[in-house]
Amino acid sequence: MDPSEVGGGLVKALVCGDPALRLDSVAEPEPRPDQALVEVRAIAVNRGELALMGQLPPGSRLGWDVAGTVLRAAADGSGPAAGTRVTALAERDGWAERIALSPSRLAPVPADLDWPAAAALPVAGLTALYATEYAGPLLGRSVLVTGAGGGVGRMLVQLAAAAGAEVIAQVGSPGRAEGLRALGAHTVETYEEGAAGGVVDVLVDSVGGQVLTGAFGRVRPGGTVVCYGNTVREELRLPLDWGHARPGLRIGYLHLFDEVTRRDVGRDLASLVRLVTRGRLTPEVAAVGSWSDPQPALDALRRRQANGKVVLTL
């Protein structure tokens, strides 16, 4: 597309419907001087967006994970040039043909990284990166990852293993365990099997509820617990004696979009891209669909039938 032809018109976007997503026309984005115009080629769907679909009014925009090509560079000279392929963390408006983005929220990707893999990287990769950073040095430590069959969980398994940890991957069913050993997990277990598991140094949890309670009981004194999700939508409850029974325990709750406000997202995305290009990290894409017919892919994610990320292409 000729950048000179862009502006003042309409673009297609996936918006909240009643109840399903629908393609609709929205205003063409008009970038500020410090924003690039990106032509979107693929988008990834997260469980957080599934939750928002049922809460937002019809016509609301969605979308964090995107990959595409810079159509027009930022007018202030920051960021990559027109024609650069990028992965980006959008500001909940990414499910559209074209979007305006700050260069601080995107990173270039090489030509051999396909669009679905590039789109799968931002939310899952950044969450996993920040969770492992909070956990501290992992060389020689044991790390228990709950929800390991999902997009973030599979990134966590890889990053923790690359950092030298012994990784225990927990999943809700045997079918969710597919491929986890190849990604670096030393042990793969269901939540029921994990109830009899041994002591660990670090717990990284995305599930909450009884899964968190059971896994928490395995963390040694002086260990670390990082919670970054609550897929069961229950209160996060810890044992009454947790502080006395485990002196020195560190507990943190990671919210990605709080972290984004104080981190260099573009730099961190670039670090993830380097790991991918060096073969040390794989964006696990489980299902690819068309944004013109998103429901099958969304259903796979909702029913936990996708072992990894769900991506829609434009």
Side-chain angles (χ1 to χ4, degrees):
M1 177 174 293
D2 185 345
S4 65
E5 298 176 356
V6 175
L10 299 173
V11 296
K12 291 294 185 182
L14 269 181
V15 302
C16 292
D18 190 12
L21 290 174
R22 70 171 192 266
L23 274 174
D24 204 351
S25 295
V26 300
E28 175 86 43
E30 297 186 5
R32 302 189 308 264
D34 62 344
Q35 290 181 316
L37 182 66
V38 175
E39 184 174 33
V40 177
R41 299 295 299 275
I43 58 179
V45 186
N46 300 282
R47 297 198 67 82
E49 287 148 342
L50 291 183
L52 286 171
M53 286 176 201
Q55 300 171 12
L56 297 174
S60 297
R61 300 280 298 275
L62 289 168
W64 293 310
D65 281 328
V66 303
T69 304
V70 175
L71 195 59
R72 184 188 299 155
D76 67 1
S78 62
T84 304
R85 303 171 82 255
V86 296
T87 180
L89 183 69
E91 298 189 39
R92 216 184 77 181
D93 62 352
W95 294 355
E97 291 177 305
R98 294 185 286 280
I99 60 173
L101 272 170
S102 167
S104 65
R105 297 176 72 97
L106 55 80
V109 296
D112 58 355
L113 184 63
D114 64 28
W115 292 123
L121 196 57
V123 167
L126 291 171
T127 302
L129 178 67
Y130 298 158
T132 52
E133 286 181 356
Y134 183 90
L138 297 180
L139 182 63
R141 303 174 78 191
S142 53
V143 178
L144 172 59
V145 178
T146 68
V152 181
R154 288 172 181 269
M155 294 277 196
L156 277 164
V157 167
Q158 294 179 76
L159 291 179
E166 178 182 339
V167 181
I168 302 99
Q170 270 195 6
V171 293
S173 66
R176 297 286 276 166
E178 180 183 353
L180 288 172
R181 289 188 183 276
L183 295 179
H186 292 70
T187 303
V188 181
E189 59 190 29
T190 63
Y191 299 139
E192 291 76 14
E193 293 167 342
V199 174
V200 298
D201 298 303
V202 177
L203 164 63
V204 187
D205 175 72
S206 65
V207 182
Q210 291 302 311
V211 171
L212 170 61
T213 301
F216 186 90
R218 296 174 59 176
V219 183
R220 66 167 179 81
T224 301
V225 177
V226 185
C227 300
Y228 69 88
N230 185 358
T231 58
V232 299
R233 302 298 178 191
E234 297 177 7
E235 291 185 359
L236 300 180
R237 297 183 178 181
L238 303 179
L240 291 175
D241 65 345
W242 70 266
H244 300 291
R246 296 173 183 81
L249 190 70
R250 294 174 63 237
I251 301 178
Y253 187 85
L254 173 72
H255 187 280
L256 176 61
F257 296 99
D258 288 341
E259 294 296 316
V260 164
T261 63
R262 52 180 174 264
R263 294 196 184 241
D264 187 335
V265 173
R267 180 199 64 190
D268 295 337
L269 279 174
S271 296
L272 292 168
V273 171
R274 282 195 296 273
L275 290 174
V276 172
T277 57
R278 294 171 183 172
R280 300 178 62 188
L281 181 67
T282 302
E284 292 279 291
V285 178
V288 179
S290 169
W291 86 327
S292 63
D293 183 22
Q295 204 56 48
L298 297 181
D299 288 343
L301 179 61
R302 186 175 287 110
R303 296 168 183 165
R304 303 185 191 283
Q305 296 170 339
N307 293 332
K309 295 286 288 185
V310 168
V311 176
L312 303 173
T313 56
L314 279 67

